C-alpha cells in the first residue's frame, strides 16, 4: 500500500510541497519547504488567531446543537438557570476547597496552562484554574460570566506534562467554542429531570426528558470538537491518544512506553465494526451512551485520529485551510465586553452575554428568588 500524502503550499514562499501525512502528524518540526527550507508548519506555541471557528466543529456537534437552538429562548433560560444555581454553588466550592493555580502556586502547571491559553487566544480572559483531590483522571470547565477550570490530582500524577497540557487545551476548547453554558445545563437538567420524576411519579421527568436527552447528545458530540481544538493548540497527536488511552485504562505505575497507542487505535476500529454488526448491537450502544455526558474513549480516539489523517489538521497548522464558505473569520463584536467571537455562537465565550433579546427583563425580576 502506498503512503498517503498531501500537497501543501509553504506559508512563507508559496511553494507546493508533497508531504507524507503519517510522518507529518508525529513530526511536524521535521517538514521543511523544498524551496525556502523553512518549516511548512506552525511552530509550537504559535497562535491560532487566524482560524475560522466553524471549521473546528465536529459535524455531530453542529447538528445536535442546531436541534437545541430550535427550542424558543433556550439560551436565556439555560443561562439564568445555571448562573443562579450551579455556578454560584461551585464558585464557592472551588475557593473554599480547592487550590487556585498561579505563578506562585503550582508554577510548573501554570506555565503549561498559560502556554495554551496564549495559543488559543484567551490571554485577556484567562479562566481561573483549580486543582482538586480525586483518584480519577478528570478536568472540567464551569462558569457563565467568568469561566474557571478544575483538574484532578490524579490527572497531574498519571499524565505527562504534554498530556496535562492536552487536557487543559481541551477544556479551553470548550470555552472558545461557547460550550460551557450548555455543558453545565446538561448536568442541571439531568438532575432536575430525576428530581421531578421522583416527585411526580415520572410525569415531570417525562416533560423535561426531551431537553435533557438533546443536551446529553450534544454534550457527547461537543467533546469531539474540543479534542480537535486541543490538537490544534498542542500539535502532539501521540499525547492526545495516550491521554485518551489512560482515561480508558491507565495504570499509575506504568510509563508511556508501556502503552501501545497504535493497538489502542486498532481497538477503536474493531469497536466500530462491532457496533455496525447488527441492529441489536446498535441498540446496546444507544443504551450505553444515552445517559452519559462524554463519549467512550475508544470512539473519541478513533474520531480524532480519522480527522487528523484526513488532512484537515495539517492544512490548518500549515495555513492551507480555507473555509468552505470562503470566509477566514466570521466574527461579531460582543455588545457587553467588546470581544469578537464567531457568529455561530449564541453566547459570548468571554463574558457569557446572550444574543437572545427580550428575555432578560423577565429573568432579572426572578433573581431575587435566589
Amino acid at each position: 500500500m502506498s503512503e498517503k500524502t498531501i500537497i501543501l503550499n509553504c506559508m512563507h514562499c508559496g511553494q507546493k510541497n508533497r508531504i507524507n501525512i503519517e510522518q507529518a502528524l508525529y513530526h511536524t518540526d521535521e517538514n521543511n519547504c523544498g524551496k525556502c527550507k523553512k518549516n511548512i508548519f506552525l511552530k509550537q506555541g504559535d497562535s491560532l488567531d487566524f482560524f475560522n471557528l466553524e471549521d473546528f466543529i465536529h459535524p455531530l456537534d453542529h447538528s445536535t446543537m442546531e436541534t437545541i437552538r430550535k427550542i424558543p429562548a433556550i439560551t436565556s433560560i439555560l443561562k439564568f438557570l445555571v448562573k443562579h444555581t450551579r455556578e454560584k454553588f461551585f464558585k464557592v466550592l472551588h475557593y473554599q476547597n480547592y487550590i487556585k493555580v498561579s505563578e506562585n502556586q503550582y508554577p510548573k502547571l501554570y506555565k503549561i496552562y498559560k502556554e495554551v491559553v496564549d495559543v488559543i487566544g484567551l490571554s485577556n480572559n484567562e479562566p481561573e484554574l483549580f486543582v482538586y483531590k480525586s483518584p480519577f483522571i478528570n478536568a472540567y470547565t464551569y462558569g457563565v460570566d467568568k469561566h474557571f477550570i478544575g483538574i484532578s490530582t490524579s490527572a497531574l500524577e498519571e499524565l505527562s506534562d504534554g498530556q496535562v497540557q492536552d487536557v487543559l487545551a481541551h477544556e479551553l476548547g470548550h470555552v472558545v467554542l461557547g460550550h460551557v453554558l450548555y455543558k453545565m445545563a446538561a448536568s442541571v437538567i439531568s438532575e432536575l429531570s430525576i428530581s421531578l420524576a421522583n416527585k411526580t411519579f415520572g410525569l415531570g421527568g417525562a416533560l423535561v426528558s426531551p431537553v435533557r436527552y438533546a443536551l446529553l447528545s450534544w454534550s457527547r458530540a461537543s467533546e469531539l470538537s474540543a479534542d480537535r481544538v486541543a490538537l490544534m493548540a498542542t500539535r502532539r497527536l501521540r499525547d492526545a491518544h495516550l491521554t485518551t488511552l489512560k482515561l480508558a485504562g491507565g495504570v499509575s505505575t506504568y510509563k508511556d512506553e508501556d502503552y501501545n497507542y497504535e493497538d489502542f487505535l486498532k481497538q477503536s476500529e474493531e469497536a466500530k465494526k462491532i457496533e455496525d454488526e447488527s441492529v441489536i448491537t446498535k441498540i446496546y450502544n444507544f443504551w450505553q451512551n444515552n445517559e452519559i455526558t462524554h463519549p467512550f474513549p475508544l470512539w473519541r480516539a478513533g474520531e480524532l485520529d480519522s480527522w487528523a489523517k484526513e488532512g484537515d489538521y495539517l492544512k490548518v497548522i500549515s495555513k492551507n485551510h480555507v473555509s468552505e464558505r470562503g470566509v477566514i473569520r466570521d466574527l461579531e463584536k460582543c455588545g457587553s465586553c467588546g470581544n469578537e467571537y464567531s457568529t455561530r455562537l449564541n453566547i459570548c465565550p468571554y463574558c457569557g452575554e446572550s444574543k437572545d433579546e427580550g428575555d432578560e427583563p423577565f429573568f432579572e425580576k426572578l433573581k431575587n428568588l435566589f
Side-chain angles (χ1 to χ4, degrees), residues 101-119:
V101 177
S102 68
E103 292 178 342
N104 299 317
Q105 188 74 271
Y106 286 99
K108 180 182 176 182
L109 175 60
Y110 183 73
K111 181 177 181 295
I112 291 171
Y113 177 56
K114 191 68 169 67
E115 286 174 359
V116 283
V117 166
D118 294 342
V119 168

Side-chain angles (χ1 to χ4, degrees), residues 168-299:
L168 295 173
H170 173 95
E171 295 305 322
L172 291 169
H174 284 310
V175 173
V176 79
L177 292 175
H179 287 166
V180 182
L181 170 65
Y182 298 97
K183 296 287 286 185
M184 294 176 69
S187 179
V188 172
I189 295 295
S190 290
E191 293 177 3
L192 178 63
S193 177
I194 293 171
S195 177
L196 286 174
N198 291 336
K199 294 178 180 179
T200 60
F201 302 100
L203 296 177
L207 294 174
V208 181
S209 286
V211 177
R212 176 192 178 196
Y213 287 122
L215 283 168
L216 288 175
S217 178
W218 167 80
S219 180
R220 293 189 293 273
S222 73
E223 297 298 321
L224 306 178
S225 295
D227 283 345
R228 292 180 173 187
V229 174
L231 180 59
M232 295 289 103
T234 65
R235 291 147 217 173
R236 291 188 298 265
L237 183 59
R238 181 174 181 272
D239 274 336
H241 288 328
L242 284 171
T243 300
T244 313
L245 186 156
K246 291 179 181 181
L247 283 171
V251 180
S252 60
T253 56
Y254 278 25
K255 297 179 180 179
D256 283 356
E257 52 265 32
D258 294 323
Y259 301 104
N260 189 315
Y261 68 88
E262 293 178 347
D263 279 1
F264 181 64
L265 292 173
K266 289 178 182 177
Q267 184 184 336
S268 73
E269 295 174 2
E270 292 169 3
K272 177 61 177 174
K273 291 178 182 178
I274 291 173
E275 179 189 341
D276 293 337
E277 280 180 355
S278 66
V279 173
I280 193 66
T281 55
K282 290 182 181 295
I283 293 173
Y284 286 153
N285 183 67
F286 174 78
W287 283 344
Q288 291 167 354
N289 279 277
N290 206 33
E291 296 288 343
I292 58 177
T293 58
H294 287 59
F296 290 143
L298 273 297
W299 185 46

